């Protein structure tokens, strides 16, 4: 599929989303563009980003047809995906708001929803109905346009947290785009999303990162790191993720993070007391619950 | 190699360890036996274990030639590897002590060393010099004789924590066996080993397990587990490990575990305060240190 889609042969079906815009051409945004191109859903893809070099690489890689400003993307696109770090979304939405096409729809890929929605309300005002919040549960440590994969979303969950102001056609447009990427779309309240993600994504990242810092601060850090094996490797893999992205997520999702941390501390304190007391019975009960849950999860997911 | 090694043809070199005994025929013990057989280091392998079915499978799989009692193994073997959970080692050593061959050497694969050494001293008395403590840094979630792999130890670290009573030939025998498995052997003080392993192996296991318990105890646990993705998968993989084995390790290595937990809590508290205060600067600094350390570790290890 090339940028010539608008001049396609008579009889060819018009693509569902003639103009797609993607703000943030990394793994998430780039993969969305690639997948929709492959699905024949789009004719033109506009790229928005801060760094000209990233946009040039995205164009060379065929992710986008051309780079435009946020305002121009808002004026032209049928659908816009915001795939920049959540800390940058408010600013992008403020640039897009005044220029937004009357029937254009914006969605996002932010890992938190309550704070992004608050920023979208502030930026878009009475046009907030054109913003359908979303979050694809996918990712990886690879970053930049080169990391984009057409099948990144195949079989993965995408959560939409629609607003009361969203129209059914706007929600359907976003759902159809993600389904064309192969994703399984489900809807959820934004608050429930933020609690669930604080638990299964944000807290593990904080624990892995603080753990690595603690190891690095020890007097024999180099020996420890030299002896670390496959358990350490897997447990800390997420700590290699983007510091800026995770800083924004933690601050955006503060209340849910603090609640999960408090709950985690309670369980950890119980375990610590059992170790201190040599209480093998309670330790084993805790370890058995963890092993059971983890083994069953693995079977369900067939990893 | 068959059990006929003792009747080998004239001119064939005698194996370095004519009789090997392994107590505990799971991944660790089974892989040691397989690797030494492949290396031509042993003629006969005796198996010691509590469960007859496990010993029968180990024999069918060619890991051992026959099953014997702990006392018979002690009386016959040139080298004995104790690869049972650390909580069982004291009992096995007590059975072996009185029968131990005068020139026999025992080593172990226990994840903790200080407590195992204390139990060995109690069990072996004046024969403690025949016990060379060790720990291969290798493993996996697969268990039982079927999990054994001849190349499990290739390129992996094996730590020996020799005792003042060990003779140089006894240490050399253990070192040579591990090197024949392809492992990189290094020596270390037992206390330093226990601190390092508490940090890079035992604490991650405790954090992953308590985290999984905390998720499982939440009101919306099933939704959380359904949405959990690859970050959760890697972060919690170790929590599927043997509850009995890890219970023993935590209790054996109590002091080092409590010290690491206290250090971890300090870093986690700092991060929590930064999140609560919206202190992006300190959060990012912490996340950058973690990402830098983890990325550099990955490069060094080339995962």
């Amino acid at each position: 599929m090339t940028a010539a889609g608008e001049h396609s042969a008579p009889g060819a079906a018009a693509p569902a989303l003639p103009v797609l815009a993607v703000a943030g051409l990394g793994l998430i945004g780039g993969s969305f563009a690639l997948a929709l191109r492959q699905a024949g859903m789009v004719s033109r893809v506009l790229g928005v980003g801060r760094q000209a070099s990233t946009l040039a690489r995205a164009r060379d890689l065929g992710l986008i047809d051309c780079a435009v400003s946020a305002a121009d993307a808002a004026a032209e696109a049928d659908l816009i995906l915001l795939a920049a770090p959540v800390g940058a979304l408010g600013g992008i939405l403020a640039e897009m708001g005044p220029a937004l096409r009357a029937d254009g729809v914006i969605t996002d890929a932010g890992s938190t929803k309550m704070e992004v929605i608050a920023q979208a309300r502030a930026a878009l005002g009475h046009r907030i109905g054109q913003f359908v919040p979303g979050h694809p549960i996918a990712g990886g440590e690879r970053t930049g346009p080169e990391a984009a994969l057409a099948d990144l979303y195949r079989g993965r969950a995408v959560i939409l947290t629609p607003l009361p102001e969203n129209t059914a056609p706007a929600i359907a447009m976003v759902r159809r785009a993600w389904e064309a990427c192969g994703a399984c779309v489900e809807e959820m309240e934004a608050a429930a999303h933020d609690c669930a993600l604080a638990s299964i994504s944000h807290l593990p990242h904080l624990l892995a990162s603080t753990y690595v810092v603690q190891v690095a601060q020890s007097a024999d850090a180099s020996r420890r790191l030299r002896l670390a094996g496959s358990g350490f490797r897997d447990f800390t893999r997420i700590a290699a993720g983007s510091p800026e992205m995770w800083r924004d997520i933690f601050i955006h999702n503060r209340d849910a993070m603090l609640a999960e941390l408090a709950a985690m501390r309670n369980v950890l304190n119980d375990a610590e007391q059992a170790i201190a007391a040599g209480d093998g019975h309670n330790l084993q009960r805790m370890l058995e619950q963890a092993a059971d849950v983890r083994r069953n999860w693995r079977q369900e997911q067939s990893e």
Side-chain angles (χ1 to χ4, degrees), chain A:
Chain A
M1 175 88 40
T2 70
E6 288 167 277
H7 313 285
S8 52
L17 299 166
V19 183
L20 172 71
V22 176
L25 275 306
L27 174 67
I28 298 297
S31 296
F32 186 73
L34 267 189
L36 290 182
R37 272 199 203 276
Q38 278 202 359
M41 288 279 285
V42 298
S43 292
R44 274 183 89 207
V45 182
L46 311 177
V48 177
R50 284 176 304 177
Q51 296 196 296
S53 61
T54 303
L55 292 167
R57 278 148 54 213
R59 190 172 166 178
D60 291 346
L61 290 161
L63 306 181
I64 62 173
D65 295 299
C66 62
V68 299
S69 68
D72 285 349
E76 289 186 47
D78 296 274
L79 177 66
I80 301 169
L81 175 71
L82 307 181
V86 290
L89 299 188
I92 298 171
L93 283 162
E95 289 178 56
M96 288 184 168
L100 191 57
R101 216 175 92 176
D103 61 344
V105 171
I106 307 177
T107 188
D108 76 312
S111 299
T112 66
K113 298 273 62 81
M114 296 286 278
E115 178 65 18
V116 169
I117 290 168
Q119 294 186 6
R121 287 191 184 283
L124 299 179
H126 69 282
R127 298 181 131 180
I128 186 63
Q130 290 174 256
F131 176 66
V132 180
H135 178 209
I137 312 287
E141 289 128 69
R142 295 169 57 239
T143 56
E146 294 77 9
L149 299 168
D151 64 353
L152 180 69
Y153 301 114
R154 190 153 301 282
R156 308 302 291 269
V158 171
I159 299 171
L160 301 183
T161 62
L163 306 175
E165 295 90 341
N166 291 147
T167 63
I171 299 169
M173 182 193 287
V174 176
R175 174 183 281 273
R176 193 163 43 159
W178 282 115
E179 287 174 349
C181 297
C184 308
V185 177
E186 64 178 291
E187 297 185 16
M188 193 180 292
E189 291 288 327
H193 167 279
D194 284 3
C195 285
L197 270 288
S199 170
I200 52 96
S201 171
H202 310 167
L203 180 60
H205 196 96
L206 187 73
L207 291 172
S209 297
T210 50
Y211 164 74
V212 169
V213 167
Q214 188 259 318
V215 173
Q217 288 177 349
S218 65
D220 58 340
S222 64
R223 173 161 64 194
R224 295 183 183 197
L225 290 167
R226 185 167 46 77
L227 293 175
S230 58
F232 176 94
R233 178 194 65 204
D234 290 348
F235 181 75
T236 61
R237 195 188 302 279
I238 49 180
S242 159
E244 298 78 10
M245 186 182 109
W246 285 98
R247 174 201 63 195
D248 289 354
I249 289 172
F250 293 156
I251 290 180
H252 262 212
N253 206 13
R254 182 180 67 176
D255 293 348
M257 280 297 286
L258 295 177
E260 294 304 317
L261 266 170
M264 172 74 192
R265 184 185 291 109
N266 286 339
V267 180
L268 193 59
N269 284 348
D270 288 348
E272 184 175 13
Q273 285 171 22
I275 292 172
D279 180 352
H281 178 74
N282 269 323
L283 266 182
Q284 181 162 351
R285 207 175 50 175
M286 185 273 288
L287 291 167
E288 277 172 355
Q289 185 182 9
D292 284 349
V293 170
R294 182 56 176 77
R295 291 169 183 170
N296 287 331
W297 183 80
R298 193 169 60 178
Q299 283 165 3
E300 284 166 19
Q301 307 278 325
S302 67
E303 296 206 44

